[in-house]
């Protein structure tokens, strides 16, 4: 082998990395040669922007005169990524869309990745009449750009991290360095670094693992798609966690009351917001307690009702072959099935399905004496009240609590309902979110409210 051929041959390090990637079909090993200069490129064409590679690396290489220093030009590019140590870490960077550039012994990683899902999406799960209508993107870089555009403070910190799972997904901690509680930040950082999971695919996965309690019913962090909710929480010292490839961000810590807030509350007057919040909490108690109250009153203590109302309820149940608790369970399970079906079906079909299920089947069930008119009204109120809760995670938790409370009432009557509510309250009082009491009320711009213990 002559000297010229030996110069063109890829170095051993380059060959070793390429061999590790070679079973994949989208690997590209390219050697550029001109005027005695040789550059070796290694990348995956499925994740690299070919136009940028052509304009930034290939074209200047052939157009640059012999007197100009191409290695220095490559190192001066703003696309350069910090070179990790170890073959495995370098290979991970290549799979993320970095181009491995080798000029003699100079090694550089250029971030020229192409992101197919960087478009900002419309807010679907948290729609509002006022305020921003667009949510986040699946690209974390686009999401960070959104934060920077809306939060112009030098204390805004972006802290990159990487999950140690099969996906090696990039995540970012975002917080205001002047407002965040350092003990809280340390606790969240430690929780992420000590995660031992096989695969994290989205923010929802990470939220579940951060919870660190398999059978916890209530969420201890909040999943959002709205930039204004992110900024609202970041301004009071909370930490935002972004996962690359997921259009949702995690907010931690959270309290119970955070899940009852809609971002529209910030855009209306005091009295309007007060009325909306009152209706929201009334809906919360209605959807949890109304089925239990119905069973407790009709089956155990009908004397608490006015005589006329008790007779009306009794008359409506004439011909119904089951006791009231079976009737309630039957109708609640029916409404849960209807809700799940309407969420999974395409938009064009879901409206038809809910109409058929809610009106036609409901009417048919009453006419067949499988349920009473009063029960249909109760279930309809419960269904409507459930959707008043702004955050879907709390919505699911409340639905589970409703069934548990109904079970207590079925066994012990109204006393069981009170006992169940007391147990739920005790559970929430003893719960915490990253050290912060779950029922604690945060007040905006009150730093002392965000202090957590070191446990």
């Amino acid at each position: 082998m002559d000297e010229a051929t030996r110069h063109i041959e890829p170095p051993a390090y380059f060959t070793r990395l390429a061999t590790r990637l070679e079973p994949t079909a989208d690997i590209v090993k390219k050697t550029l040669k001109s005027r005695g200069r040789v550059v070796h490129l290694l990348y995956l064409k499925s994740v690299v922007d070919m136009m940028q590679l052509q304009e930034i690396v290939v074209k200047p290489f052939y157009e640059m005169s012999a007197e100009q220093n191409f290695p220095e030009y490559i190192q001066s590019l703003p696309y350069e990524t910090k070179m990790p140590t170890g073959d495995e870490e370098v290979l991970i960077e290549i799979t993320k869309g970095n181009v491995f550039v080798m000029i003699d012994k100079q090694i550089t990683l250029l971030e020229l990745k192409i992101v197919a899902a960087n478009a900002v999406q419309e807010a679907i799960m948290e729609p509002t009449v006022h305020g921003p209508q667009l949510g986040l993107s699946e690209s974390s870089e686009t999401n960070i750009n959104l934060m920077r555009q809306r939060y112009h403070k030098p204390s805004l910190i972006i802290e990159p991290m990487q999950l140690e799972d099969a996906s090696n997904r990039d995540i970012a901690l975002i917080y205001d360095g002047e407002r965040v509680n350092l003990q809280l930040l340390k606790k969240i950082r430690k929780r992420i670094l000590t995660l031992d999971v096989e695969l994290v695919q989205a923010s929802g996965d990470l939220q579940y693992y951060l919870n660190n309690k398999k059978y916890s019913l209530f969420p201890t962090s909040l999943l959002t798609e709205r930039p204004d909710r992110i900024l609202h929480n970041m301004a009071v010292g909370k930490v935002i966690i972004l996962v690359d490839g997921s259009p949702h961000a995690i907010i931690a810590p959270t309290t119970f009351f955070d899940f009852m807030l809609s971002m529209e509350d910030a855009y209306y007057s005091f009295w309007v917001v007060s009325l909306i919040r009152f209706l929201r909490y009334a809906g919360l108690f209605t959807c949890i307690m109304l089925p239990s109250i119905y069973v407790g009153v009709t089956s155990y203590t009908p004397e608490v009702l006015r005589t006329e109302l008790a007779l009306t309820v009794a008359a409506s149940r004439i011909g119904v072959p089951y006791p009231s608790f079976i009737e309630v369970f039957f109708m609640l399970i029916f409404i849960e099935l209807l809700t799940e079906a309407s969420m999974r079906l395409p938009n064009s079909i879901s409206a038809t399905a809910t109409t058929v299920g809610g009106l036609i089947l409901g009417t048919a069930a009453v006419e067949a004496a499988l349920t009473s008119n009063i029960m249909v009204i109760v279930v309809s109120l419960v269904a409507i009240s459930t959707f008043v809760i702004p955050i879907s995670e709390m919505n699911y938790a409340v639905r589970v609590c409703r069934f548990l409370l109904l079970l207590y009432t079925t066994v012990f009557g109204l006393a069981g309902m009170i006992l169940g509510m007391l147990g739920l309250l005790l559970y929430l009082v003893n719960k915490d979110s990253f050290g912060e009491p779950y029922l604690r009320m945060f007040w905006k711009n009150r730093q002392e409210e965000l202090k957590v213990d070191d446990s």
Side-chain angles (χ1 to χ4, degrees):
M1 185 181 294
D2 56 19
E3 185 63 30
T5 306
R6 189 181 303 113
H7 193 58
I8 295 176
E9 284 292 319
Y13 181 53
F14 182 93
T15 307
R16 189 169 74 238
L17 292 178
T19 304
R20 295 278 302 277
L21 291 171
E22 259 177 354
T24 183
D26 56 348
I27 182 175
V28 176
K29 298 177 290 182
K30 195 173 283 296
T31 299
L32 310 179
K33 183 177 182 301
S34 175
R35 301 186 185 96
R37 292 184 304 209
V38 177
V39 175
H40 300 285
L41 303 177
L42 178 65
Y43 58 92
L44 300 176
K45 63 181 179 183
S46 56
V47 288
V48 168
D49 189 334
M50 295 299 174
M51 294 299 294
Q52 275 198 321
L53 180 63
Q54 172 69 22
E55 292 295 323
I56 294 169
V57 178
V58 179
K59 194 174 177 181
F61 176 78
Y62 288 107
E63 292 181 348
M64 198 171 282
S65 64
E67 292 76 21
Q68 292 174 302
N69 196 328
F70 187 73
E72 288 188 0
Y73 162 76
I74 289 293
Q75 286 196 323
S76 68
L77 291 172
Y79 303 94
E80 185 179 6
T81 304
K82 184 181 178 182
M83 178 64 70
T85 57
D87 291 5
E88 190 66 31
E89 288 75 13
V90 175
L91 289 171
I92 289 173
E93 293 299 324
I94 293 175
T95 59
K96 290 178 180 176
N98 289 289
V99 178
F100 182 83
V101 182
M102 196 164 191
I103 309 171
D104 295 330
K105 293 183 179 179
Q106 176 187 311
I107 300 171
T108 310
L109 279 174
L110 296 180
E111 186 177 347
L112 301 177
K113 65 181 176 184
I114 186 168
V115 181
N118 60 350
V120 177
Q121 303 178 11
E122 189 175 349
I124 299 173
M125 297 180 66
E126 301 172 72
T128 58
V129 177
H130 297 289
Q133 300 299 312
L134 295 178
L136 298 177
S137 158
E138 292 193 7
S139 165
S140 62
E141 291 181 359
T142 305
N143 293 336
I144 292 171
N145 177 268
L146 289 172
M147 301 301 107
R148 285 288 187 192
Q149 286 181 352
R150 289 168 167 80
Y151 201 82
H152 300 145
K153 285 193 70 177
S155 56
L156 176 60
I157 307 295
I158 314 293
E159 185 176 325
M161 301 180 76
Q162 182 172 295
L163 291 172
E164 299 292 336
D165 66 332
S167 68
N168 290 300
R169 196 74 65 91
D170 285 331
I171 62 175
L173 300 185
I174 305 178
Y175 52 88
D176 189 328
E178 293 178 352
R179 296 172 181 266
V180 72
N181 184 287
L182 295 179
Q183 293 297 330
L184 166 68
L185 180 62
K186 184 180 175 183
K187 190 173 291 186
I188 293 176
R189 196 183 288 140
K190 181 181 177 184
R191 190 79 63 86
I192 293 174
L193 291 175
T194 55
L195 279 180
D196 183 17
V197 295
E198 187 175 349
L199 178 65
V200 173
Q201 299 192 72
S203 300
D205 287 24
L206 185 61
Q207 183 197 29
Y208 172 76
Y209 295 125
L210 288 178
N211 195 14
N212 205 26
K213 291 178 182 175
K214 186 177 180 180
Y215 299 107
S216 176
L217 177 58
F218 288 86
T220 54
S221 55
L222 196 152
L223 209 60
T224 185
E225 59 179 353
R226 295 190 62 86
D228 52 352
R229 187 183 287 275
I230 292 175
L231 299 186
H232 173 82
N233 284 276
M234 191 161 58
V236 296
K238 298 185 184 180
V239 178
I240 314 300
I241 306 170
L242 286 177
V243 178
D244 192 30
S246 176
H248 298 98
I250 303 170
I251 299 173
T254 52
T255 66
F256 178 85
F257 306 102
D258 290 332
F259 295 91
M260 297 300 292
L261 291 177
S262 168
M263 286 318 298
E264 273 193 322
D265 295 355
Y267 307 127
Y268 289 122
S269 66
F270 171 79
W271 293 111
V272 173
V273 172
S274 300
L275 175 62
I276 293 174
R277 287 183 178 172
F278 171 77
L279 292 175
R280 209 173 284 153
Y281 281 97
L284 172 68
F285 284 103
T286 300
C287 68
I288 289 182
M289 300 186 68
L290 188 57
S292 302
I293 292 175
Y294 177 81
V295 170
V297 169
T298 56
S299 298
Y300 292 93
T301 52
E303 61 272 14
V304 300
L305 297 175
R306 288 175 60 90
T307 307
E308 294 83 356
L309 182 56
L311 291 174
T312 302
V313 172
S316 72
R317 298 201 71 252
I318 293 175
V320 178
Y322 310 110
S324 61
F325 65 89
I326 292 182
E327 183 188 8
V328 172
F329 271 111
F330 168 73
M331 290 302 291
L332 285 182
I333 291 173
F334 171 70
I335 207 72
E336 292 292 337
L337 289 174
L338 193 63
T339 304
E340 284 299 307
S342 62
M343 291 173 65
R344 309 298 169 209
L345 287 172
N347 292 334
S348 55
I349 306 175
S350 62
T352 307
T354 50
T355 303
V356 171
L359 295 179
I360 299 177
L361 285 183
T363 306
V366 172
E367 291 179 353
L370 292 175
T371 185
S372 62
N373 289 323
I374 302 290
M375 187 65 244
V376 172
I377 295 172
V378 168
V379 169
S380 301
L381 274 174
V382 169
I384 294 170
S385 303
T386 304
F387 296 116
V388 171
I389 301 170
I391 304 297
S392 60
E393 299 152 280
M394 183 56 70
N395 188 315
Y396 283 111
V398 166
R399 285 156 68 180
V400 174
C401 288
R402 184 166 64 212
F403 278 102
L404 294 176
L405 202 60
L406 185 57
L407 196 61
Y408 268 82
T409 311
T410 301
V411 177
F412 302 109
L414 285 180
M417 184 188 74
I418 296 171
L419 188 66
M421 282 301 294
L422 187 60
L424 178 63
L425 189 61
L426 289 175
Y427 173 75
L428 292 176
V429 166
N430 284 284
K431 192 174 180 59
D432 70 278
S433 169
F434 295 92
E436 192 69 27
Y438 201 58
L439 288 185
R440 186 174 185 174
M441 297 184 71
F442 282 163
W443 297 102
K444 191 174 181 181
N445 296 329
R446 291 277 300 274
Q447 280 291 97
E448 61 271 22
E449 295 288 339
L450 293 170
K451 292 178 180 176
V452 296
D453 54 33
D454 298 335
S455 58

